[in-house]
Amino acid sequence: MSVSPVSLPSTREVRPALAEWMAAQRWFASGSAEPRLSRVGMWSLVDHKHQVGLETHLILDESATPPVLYQVPLSFRTSNLLGGDRALIERATIDGRTIYIYDGPHDPAFTRALLGLMLDDEAEAGEGDETEAVGHHSLTSSEVRVTDSHVLRGEQSNTSIVFDLVHLNGKPAQPVICKVFRALADGPNPDVVVQSALSDAGSRLVPRAVGTVTGAWSDPRLPGGQATGHFAFAQEFIPEVEDAWRVALRSAETGESFSALARALGESTAQVHTELAQLFPVRTPEASDVGGIMASMRERAAQAVAEVPDLAERQDAVETVFRLAESAEWPVFQRIHGDYHLGQVLGVPGRGWVILDFEGEPLRPLAERSEPDVTLRDVAGMLRSFDYVAGTFAAGPNAEAVREWALEAREAFLDGYITRSGNDLRAQRVLLDAFELDKALYEVSYEARNRPDWLPIPVGAIRTLTERV
């Protein structure tokens, strides 16, 4: 057990062991062999129980283009954390004392203090006058205590902590999951804004919001040098359920029809779009809106051809699809999910489909992900996801049956959406095809760089979509 609060000396330099550890994390996006790291800010938490030092360092990597600012929570102990070997960053000697430096989300002292900051609506200052962290709790009871916490494995862009909770009378409370945002950007995070608005309005289509940590910090990337935004977001955790991707894979593999579930998913998607249109501004698209989307589609098409030159023979047909979409009548623009697929949806017994992660496409700038968009983008994303289920079994003996499974699921999904929304998506086929083609072109670039064996899935979709015109 630590006997007194400890920390690192205040300096812009990043310790070599911390720099090496950061470069090995999945959320560290720089491809540079030599990241240029400097600490530009810090905010701290107070551990009232064990006096563990708790600091969250804001570390800028200037080797990336554009530079990326990372949030790195750390805990400092004068004795080792039991079971914390995998989270140990460095065993250092500072001012003659041995200090164990850990990845904060793995330290129960940090996780307790972080949730407490939210549930108690507290504020914590950082270095100087530039950095501050403020907790806010949502429409939920704060009369709980933490019994255990652990970090979810496999996450790429952020770090999620699951909390086991009990009420003050000792009875189990609903678990909570807290997402600590690793890459910081100026402005509200759409995942927090959208899910909190839906939750506070009583929607059952998203997990219940529990709390947030907002803050201000010094940001050398900005003209004014100061930024505000979200550090963390906590919400209801739904344990022992499967996402729609796993449910769909099992259904396709066993030959079980997915039509009823796909139809219900279409209805849920339409319902959440309706709720978003009620909670956030809706506007009629202008020529510049359409022009901007079409320019990004053509840019992705050019990139896909550069990655996979064999697609050049499809360029004229791709452009035909885009021209038809450009001249079509466009629907209103509104808030959408932005990165919608089967892995973003949970199947919850007695509740139906629950939709997660409204953060938008991770590679797009934060400001763009908060802008109104076309709901067809979400619909197209889900249609592509069904296609990926079929592609998973393309080399197997039941490939043809699974292709039929996917076509049936796609049509059922569209039926459900149309029934709930009253919006005939099939009458907008020209636009929907363009958005699905755009998604497939994006997938080509991703698969060419990361999973070449999966390339036939989006390439086949491009062939199918361009042969319709």
Side-chain angles (χ1 to χ4, degrees), residues 143-147 164-174:
E143 300 298 315
V144 293
R145 62 181 179 87
V146 178
T147 59
D164 293 327
L165 306 174
V166 295
H167 295 291
L168 297 186
N169 61 8
K171 293 184 178 179
Q174 177 71 43

Side-chain angles (χ1 to χ4, degrees), residues 114-425:
L114 179 65
L115 189 61
L117 183 73
M118 289 182 266
L119 296 183
D120 296 335
D121 294 312
E122 293 181 343
E124 295 290 349
E127 290 177 328
D129 298 326
E130 294 86 9
T131 309
E132 181 186 41
V134 182
H136 316 266
H137 85 272
S138 300
L139 304 179
T140 184
S141 171
S142 60
E143 300 298 315
V144 293
R145 62 181 179 87
V146 178
T147 59
D148 196 11
S149 64
H150 67 274
V151 172
L152 284 186
R153 294 186 182 180
E155 200 167 16
Q156 295 192 27
S157 18
N158 301 298
T159 298
S160 290
I161 307 163
V162 175
F163 294 85
D164 293 327
L165 306 174
V166 295
H167 295 291
L168 297 186
N169 61 8
K171 293 184 178 179
Q174 177 71 43
V176 165
I177 184 168
C178 179
K179 182 184 295 185
V180 176
F181 298 111
R182 287 295 189 169
L184 298 181
D186 185 36
N189 189 295
D191 192 25
V192 181
V193 172
V194 172
Q195 290 207 71
S196 295
L198 288 167
S199 171
D200 291 351
S203 176
R204 288 178 53 80
L205 293 170
V206 297
R208 188 181 74 255
V210 171
T212 63
V213 179
T214 60
W217 63 91
S218 175
D219 195 331
R221 301 172 298 176
L222 300 178
Q226 189 72 8
T228 59
H230 289 99
F231 288 138
F233 176 45
Q235 59 189 148
E236 166 193 15
F237 179 66
I238 306 172
E240 299 179 3
V241 295
E242 290 184 305
D243 61 33
W245 171 255
R246 290 182 176 85
V247 176
L249 280 178
R250 187 168 58 251
S251 171
E253 186 174 26
T254 60
E256 181 183 355
S257 174
F258 195 71
S259 290
L261 292 174
R263 183 183 181 91
L265 182 55
E267 292 175 358
S268 296
T269 305
Q271 181 61 33
V272 83
H273 282 161
T274 298
E275 293 175 0
L276 289 172
Q278 294 169 347
L279 294 169
F280 294 95
V282 174
R283 61 180 173 83
T284 301
E286 299 179 356
S288 59
D289 297 317
V290 175
I293 288 179
M294 298 311 304
S296 69
M297 287 185 178
R298 290 185 170 106
E299 184 178 337
R300 272 187 284 275
Q303 182 62 45
V305 172
E307 300 273 4
V308 183
D310 287 350
L311 287 176
E313 65 181 22
R314 293 279 167 182
Q315 277 183 297
D316 290 344
V318 167
E319 180 56 29
T320 298
V321 173
F322 288 167
R323 280 201 306 268
L324 289 171
E326 202 165 18
S327 60
E329 182 177 351
W330 284 57
V332 296
F333 278 37
Q334 65 162 82
R335 290 298 284 264
I336 65 170
H337 185 282
D339 188 26
Y340 200 47
H341 53 78
L342 288 165
Q344 304 282 40
V345 185
L346 297 179
V348 182
R351 183 168 169 180
W353 295 117
V354 174
I355 302 170
L356 311 173
D357 294 335
F358 285 74
E359 199 170 354
E361 188 178 300
L363 297 181
R364 295 179 67 193
L366 186 69
E368 287 185 17
R369 289 184 263 144
S370 298
E371 289 294 316
D373 204 338
V374 185
T375 54
L376 292 173
R377 191 183 300 279
D378 284 348
V379 174
M382 191 57 70
L383 295 180
R384 296 295 314 124
S385 204
F386 288 127
D387 198 28
Y388 263 75
V389 173
T392 303
F393 299 100
N398 299 319
E400 184 58 37
V402 176
R403 277 194 293 270
E404 290 299 320
W405 176 97
L407 290 173
E408 183 182 272
R410 286 165 60 97
E411 292 304 310
F413 175 79
L414 293 175
D415 287 341
Y417 192 100
I418 292 168
T419 298
R420 178 59 62 92
S421 67
N423 178 15
D424 188 357
L425 296 178

Side-chain angles (χ1 to χ4, degrees), residues 300-301 303-312 314 384 387-388 390-392 394-395 437 439-464:
R300 272 187 284 275
Q303 182 62 45
V305 172
E307 300 273 4
V308 183
D310 287 350
L311 287 176
R314 293 279 167 182
R384 296 295 314 124
D387 198 28
Y388 263 75
T392 303
L437 178 58
K439 183 69 173 177
L441 289 163
Y442 168 84
E443 292 162 359
V444 161
S445 295
Y446 179 86
E447 303 299 9
R449 297 170 191 170
N450 299 284
R451 302 184 299 187
D453 291 348
W454 290 63
L455 262 175
I457 300 175
V459 168
I462 292 168
R463 182 175 60 251
T464 297

Side-chain angles (χ1 to χ4, degrees), residues 4-66:
S4 62
V6 291
S7 65
L8 293 178
S10 180
T11 174
R12 284 182 57 87
E13 293 183 3
V14 176
R15 295 179 66 85
L18 178 56
E20 182 179 353
W21 175 84
M22 286 179 61
Q25 304 310 301
R26 297 184 72 180
W27 44 260
F28 189 76
S30 174
S32 172
E34 297 183 3
R36 297 199 308 274
L37 305 178
S38 61
R39 190 177 81 166
V40 299
M42 181 274 292
W43 59 276
S44 59
L45 290 167
V46 178
D47 173 38
H48 297 287
K49 191 171 184 180
H50 294 305
Q51 294 186 302
V52 176
L54 304 173
E55 295 180 352
T56 295
H57 291 204
L58 307 183
I59 297 177
L60 183 68
D61 177 20
E62 295 181 273
S63 70
T65 305

